[in-house]
């Protein structure tokens, strides 16, 4: 049984958490096992001509993505020989524009959801987790270290720093300072005395976890790959294989300036003097696979099942913080890199969430993990035979997945699914306390909107433009009123119009006419498992229902509470409960 699955095996609760057969329409799993799938083999159409799937890469996209797709029989998009819609997958390292999402075709996939910067930038993540902690309590959201965003929180930080030093005998904290928008360990500073604290850009300061669980004296963290195929309904997969990243010198709080002892970033440690040395237990290099890590924990008689369960909860709770504010989109996915640190009490801590996690192949471990990861992502995208043709019967090539948002052509009603009805109750605006940074311009027309998290105009200028703009027929005579919904019963925000992301209620409430690609043709539910991707949300029927028709965060939090309580029960209590119910 997968280590990522729940301990409880009741039929109702295991509905989404047991592994089933692979995607029936895609055949076997991937070409690395010597077989072909619908995403690998070329489809032969009725005219007898081959129609391979087509990928489109932007400049800077990882080279391994091209290699894997070519291995699977795909061909690369050529803008000089193919029209603008003649592709199946567009992969790039930064977000797409909202116009790209609105014009997506049924046979196409984009590798980003809009507005996910809300958790992939360090200051935004800290604000959202702080907000969720204030609403739902510290018992659930205690997995992120105390954080201060500089320079705004400088006074608060000084107060906390001073208060700690006024308590006799209290062990003084260590602090870590990170630039909010940099990656690969650049600009990080660790300090204990405030006189060493110097910064020249916007940074986040957090309590440094000074008691990490060490392996042979070396610090390490986990790079967990998470794929979100949809935010409405919320659908989350975690990858069973991943990377354990090691510092290359022994952990030592007496040398805070030694980056090779305190940082686990491969981009730093591969240049360290001990990188190629054969280190005790660790070996040469600085990476393990999750498989080797699990074997190590078991060899030390350490129970890792509860650790993975807690990590799964961290992933779900973090994504719930932004789910209500992510715009309704279809045919896209997002691969996140969650960085998790485990302390000496086996408690996992969320360090950060990475947008477009690195897919560079620096060592043999990278090749093992990342190439399989990409193969499984392509399988998860579940391309069908008709996607090879890059057109749909009875539908113009100019019509998008949103139907009327691009064209008034008639679409098949039976293809509209309940999952996209969440648009009717979508909660779109940011609920972060930093509304000035994350608030979306509700009144502006959708044309020209980008994925930027910053408003471009002042409220006064927006109101002046709206007053001077003549009303269109659709604006002056709406066919019906748009519903208004609250995010949660605890929200401090005013009701938000459901037409937030579209220029009219009619366009907003119209459902995309294609089924979600990540649903099984058999039961119209997310696949429980695809390759090494395991579904962790929804984890039961109640969670599935709460994520439809506008996500109900409060109900999902209650379900997570129940699940955590059940997982914390001793094994003998679980056995007695099962026997009692038989």
């Amino acid at each position: 049984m997968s280590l990522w699955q729940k301990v409880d095996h009741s039929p109702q609760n295991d509905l989404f958490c047991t592994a089933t057969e692979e995607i029936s329409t895609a055949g076997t799993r991937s070409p690395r096992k010597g077989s072909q799938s619908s995403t690998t083999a070329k489809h032969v159409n009725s005219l007898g001509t081959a129609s391979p799937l087509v990928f489109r890469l932007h400049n800077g996209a990882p080279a391994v993505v091209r290699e894997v797709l070519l291995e699977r029989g795909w061909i690369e998009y050529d803008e000089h020989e193919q029209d603008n819609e003649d592709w199946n997958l567009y992969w790039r390292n930064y977000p797409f524009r909202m116009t790209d999402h609105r014009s997506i075709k049924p046979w196409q996939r984009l590798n980003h959801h809009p507005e996910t910067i809300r958790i992939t930038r360090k200051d935004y993540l800290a604000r959202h987790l702080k907000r969720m902690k204030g609403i739902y309590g510290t018992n659930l959201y205690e997995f992120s270290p105390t954080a201060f965003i500089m320079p705004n929180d400088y006074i608060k930080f000084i107060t906390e720093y001073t208060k700690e030093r006024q308590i006799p005998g209290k062990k003084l904290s260590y602090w870590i300072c990170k630039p909010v928008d940099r990656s690969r360990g650049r600009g990080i500073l660790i300090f204990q005395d405030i006189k060493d604290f110097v910064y020249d850009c916007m940074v986040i300061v957090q309590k440094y976890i000074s008691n990490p669980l060490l392996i042979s004296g070396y610090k390490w963290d986990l790079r967990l790959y998470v794929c979100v195929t949809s935010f409405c309904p919320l659908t989350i997969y975690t990858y069973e294989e991943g990377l354990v990243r090691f510092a290359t010198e022994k952990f030592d709080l007496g040398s805070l300036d030694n980056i090779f002892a305190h940082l686990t970033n491969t981009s730093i440690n591969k240049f360290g003097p001990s990188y190629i040395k054969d280190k005790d237990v660790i070996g040469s290099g600085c990476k393990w696979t999750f498989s080797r890590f699990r074997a190590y924990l078991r060899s030390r008689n350490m129970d890792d099942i509860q650790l993975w369960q807690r990590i799964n909860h961290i992933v779900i709770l973090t994504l719930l913080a932004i789910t209500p504010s992510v715009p309704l989109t279809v045919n896209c996915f997002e691969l996140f890199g969650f960085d998790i640190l485990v302390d000496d009490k086996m408690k996992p801590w969320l360090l950060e969430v990475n947008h477009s996690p690195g897919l560079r192949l620096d060592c043999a471990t990278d090749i093992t993990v990342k190439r399989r990861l990409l193969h499984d992502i392509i399988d998860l995208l579940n391309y069908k035979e008709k996607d090879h043709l890059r057109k749909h019967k009875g539908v113009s090539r100019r019509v998008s997945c949103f139907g009327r948002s691009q064209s008034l052509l008639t679409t098949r009603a039976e293809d509209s699914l309940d999952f996209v009805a969440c648009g009717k109750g979508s909660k779109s605006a940011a609920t972060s306390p930093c509304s000035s940074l994350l608030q979306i311009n509700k009144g502006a027309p959708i044309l020209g909107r980008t994925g930027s998290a910053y408003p471009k105009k002042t409220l006064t200028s927006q109101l002046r433009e709206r007053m001077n703009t003549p009303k269109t027929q659709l604006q002056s005579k709406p066919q019906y009123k748009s519903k208004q919904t609250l995010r949660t019963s605890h929200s401090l925000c005013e009701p938000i119009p459901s037409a937030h992301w579209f220029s009219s209620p009619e366009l907003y409430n119209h459902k995309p006419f294609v089924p979600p690609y990540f649903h099984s043709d058999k039961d119209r539910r997310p696949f429980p498992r695809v390759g090494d991707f395991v579904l962790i949300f929804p984890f039961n029927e109640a969670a599935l229902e709460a994520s439809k028709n506008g996500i109900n965060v409060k109900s999902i939090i209650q379900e997570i509470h129940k699940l955590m309580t059940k997982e914390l029960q001793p094994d003998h209590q679980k056995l007695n409960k099962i026997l009692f119910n038989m």
Side-chain angles (χ1 to χ4, degrees):
M1 186 184 83
S2 167
L3 291 174
W4 300 65
Q5 295 172 9
K6 302 183 298 182
V7 177
D8 181 27
H9 300 297
S10 60
Q12 181 179 1
N13 290 333
D14 273 358
L15 182 61
F16 296 97
C17 296
T18 55
T20 60
E21 62 182 1
E22 302 296 332
I23 302 174
S24 58
T25 57
T28 52
R29 201 177 137 186
S30 75
R32 64 176 178 270
K33 289 192 176 182
S35 60
Q36 290 183 330
S37 73
S38 65
T39 60
T40 305
K42 295 182 179 179
H43 171 67
V44 179
N45 61 26
S46 58
L47 298 177
T49 58
S51 301
L53 293 167
V54 178
F55 66 91
R56 184 176 181 180
L57 300 183
H58 199 271
N59 293 337
V64 66
V65 176
R66 176 182 282 106
E67 293 171 9
V68 167
L69 291 171
L70 290 175
E71 284 177 12
R72 299 176 68 95
W74 291 51
I75 62 172
E76 188 163 3
Y77 173 78
D78 186 342
E79 62 181 3
H80 301 294
E81 307 231 348
Q82 295 164 278
D83 66 42
N84 197 41
E85 300 171 355
D86 196 16
W87 51 268
N88 298 97
L89 172 64
Y90 195 171
W91 190 296
R92 66 188 194 187
N93 289 340
Y94 56 89
F96 293 92
R97 299 169 299 177
M98 280 305 298
T99 51
D100 296 325
H101 286 285
R102 289 197 305 273
S103 60
I104 192 73
K105 302 300 181 290
W107 57 85
Q108 297 173 338
R109 313 278 192 272
L110 303 177
N111 75 313
H112 293 296
H113 288 281
E115 303 293 337
T116 54
I117 190 177
R118 298 171 189 273
I119 58 169
T120 58
R121 207 173 109 150
K122 298 176 185 69
D123 54 337
Y124 292 177
L125 174 63
R127 288 188 176 108
H128 279 295
L129 294 182
K130 182 179 179 181
R131 173 178 57 83
M132 296 295 281
K133 185 183 294 186
I135 296 173
Y136 300 108
T138 56
N139 288 338
L140 282 175
Y141 283 88
E142 62 175 354
F143 54 79
S144 180
T146 304
F148 302 91
I149 301 169
M150 302 295 179
N152 294 350
D153 292 341
Y154 185 79
I155 301 300
K156 293 180 182 178
F157 169 65
I158 293 298
T159 302
E160 177 72 15
Y161 176 86
T162 305
K163 183 173 64 175
E164 185 181 81
R165 291 178 172 261
Q166 291 174 346
I167 302 175
K170 182 173 176 60
K171 185 178 178 181
L172 299 181
S173 298
Y174 293 86
W175 302 88
I176 184 167
C177 168
K178 306 176 187 177
V180 299
D181 56 355
R182 292 186 194 172
S183 58
R184 303 192 296 276
R186 294 172 296 176
I188 291 180
L189 169 70
I190 302 172
F191 65 95
Q192 189 177 36
D193 194 326
I194 200 169
K195 67 180 178 61
D196 299 322
F197 177 39
V198 179
Y199 64 97
D200 59 0
C201 61
M202 193 171 183
V203 298
I204 181 172
V205 176
Q206 293 177 294
K207 282 195 174 182
Y208 184 57
I209 300 171
S210 57
N211 63 326
L213 180 64
L214 303 178
I215 296 181
S216 191
Y218 294 92
K219 181 180 176 181
W220 53 273
D221 69 7
L222 303 173
R223 167 58 61 87
L224 174 69
Y225 295 105
V226 176
C227 188
V228 179
T229 55
S230 171
F231 278 94
C232 186
L234 183 60
T235 310
I236 307 171
Y237 290 86
T238 54
Y239 202 60
E240 280 193 315
E241 195 59 278
L243 296 173
V244 183
R245 309 180 304 173
F246 289 91
T248 50
E249 294 189 11
K250 299 269 187 174
F251 183 75
D252 182 8
L253 290 173
S255 57
L256 297 180
D257 57 345
N258 185 355
I259 58 175
F260 302 116
H262 292 277
L263 302 184
T264 60
N265 306 79
T266 305
S267 56
I268 291 175
N269 281 283
K270 67 182 180 181
F271 298 109
S274 302
Y275 177 73
I276 61 174
K277 291 182 181 178
D278 189 13
K279 297 172 283 296
D280 184 34
V281 179
I282 309 300
S284 62
C286 64
K287 288 180 181 176
W288 280 3
T289 62
F290 279 4
S291 299
R292 183 175 176 183
F293 173 65
R294 292 187 185 102
Y296 171 83
L297 293 180
R298 292 172 193 162
S299 70
R300 300 303 192 274
N301 295 318
M302 302 172 73
D303 182 10
D304 63 326
I305 294 180
Q306 190 176 87
L307 173 64
W308 297 121
Q309 291 171 339
R310 296 178 73 177
I311 290 174
N312 285 345
H313 298 326
I314 288 175
V315 171
I316 296 171
L317 290 168
T318 301
L319 290 168
L320 280 176
I322 65 162
T323 298
S325 57
V326 174
L328 172 63
T329 53
V330 296
N331 278 26
C332 52
F333 65 98
E334 187 87 46
L335 180 66
F336 293 103
F338 276 67
D339 289 344
I340 305 290
L341 179 73
V342 181
D343 66 20
D344 55 11
K345 298 178 182 177
M346 289 294 284
K347 175 182 177 180
W349 295 85
L350 175 66
L351 300 182
E352 60 185 72
V353 181
N354 294 273
H355 178 270
S356 293
L359 295 175
R360 185 185 178 95
L361 305 181
D362 290 319
C363 60
T365 304
D366 279 341
I367 295 173
T368 299
V369 173
K370 295 177 182 179
R371 292 183 70 87
R372 289 183 58 189
L373 170 71
L374 288 170
H375 277 293
D376 288 340
I377 285 177
I378 304 306
D379 286 339
L380 186 59
L381 297 182
N382 192 23
Y383 284 97
K384 309 288 180 62
E385 288 186 357
K386 60 185 177 182
D387 293 324
H388 291 254
L389 304 175
R390 289 178 286 284
K391 63 182 179 180
H392 278 223
K393 183 178 180 181
V395 180
S396 167
R397 288 178 64 87
R398 294 188 175 276
V399 69
S400 76
C401 290
F402 281 96
R404 293 187 186 180
S405 63
Q406 299 294 322
S407 170
L408 295 178
L409 293 176
T410 304
T411 59
R412 295 182 299 171
E414 63 269 19
D415 283 337
S416 296
L417 297 181
D418 291 340
F419 96 102
V420 291
C422 59
K424 297 181 179 179
S426 178
K427 309 164 184 71
S428 302
T431 56
S432 169
C434 58
S435 57
S436 62
L437 291 179
L438 298 179
Q439 186 67 29
I440 307 300
N441 176 9
K442 300 178 184 179
I446 57 171
L447 295 178
R449 176 178 173 79
T450 66
S452 172
Y454 294 90
K456 294 184 179 179
K457 300 179 181 179
T458 64
L459 181 60
T460 304
S461 64
Q462 294 169 14
L463 291 174
R464 186 181 296 115
E465 284 185 9
R466 292 181 64 184
M467 292 174 64
N468 295 331
T469 302
K471 293 183 178 181
T472 63
Q473 184 176 1
L474 186 60
Q475 292 172 330
S476 58
K477 296 181 181 180
Q479 294 181 4
Y480 48 87
K481 295 182 179 179
S482 174
K483 295 181 180 179
Q484 290 186 336
T485 56
L486 287 171
R487 297 183 186 284
T488 67
S489 59
H490 297 276
S491 176
L492 300 178
C493 299
E494 293 296 322
I496 297 165
S498 64
H500 180 78
W501 280 98
F502 294 84
S503 58
S504 72
E506 179 182 359
L507 300 186
Y508 182 82
N509 287 315
H510 188 77
K511 301 177 183 179
F513 62 83
V514 293
Y517 66 85
F518 53 88
H519 276 192
S520 167
D521 292 334
K522 190 179 300 182
D523 57 8
R524 295 302 192 193
R525 296 179 183 277
F527 296 103
R529 184 185 185 107
V530 177
D532 283 338
F533 276 110
V534 178
L535 183 74
I536 65 166
F537 189 92
F539 48 81
N540 60 22
E541 282 284 358
L544 175 63
E545 291 303 316
S547 66
K548 289 181 178 179
N549 303 317
I551 189 160
N552 187 335
V553 177
K554 184 178 179 180
S555 296
I556 293 173
I557 292 290
Q558 291 172 346
E559 290 301 315
I560 294 175
H561 239 310
K562 295 176 185 176
L563 184 60
M564 293 175 67
T565 302
K566 190 179 300 182
E567 289 170 350
L568 292 174
Q569 288 179 354
D571 290 339
H572 69 275
Q573 290 186 15
K574 295 179 183 178
L575 181 60
N576 291 338
K577 188 173 181 180
I578 293 172
L579 293 174
F580 178 78
N581 293 330
M582 289 179 64

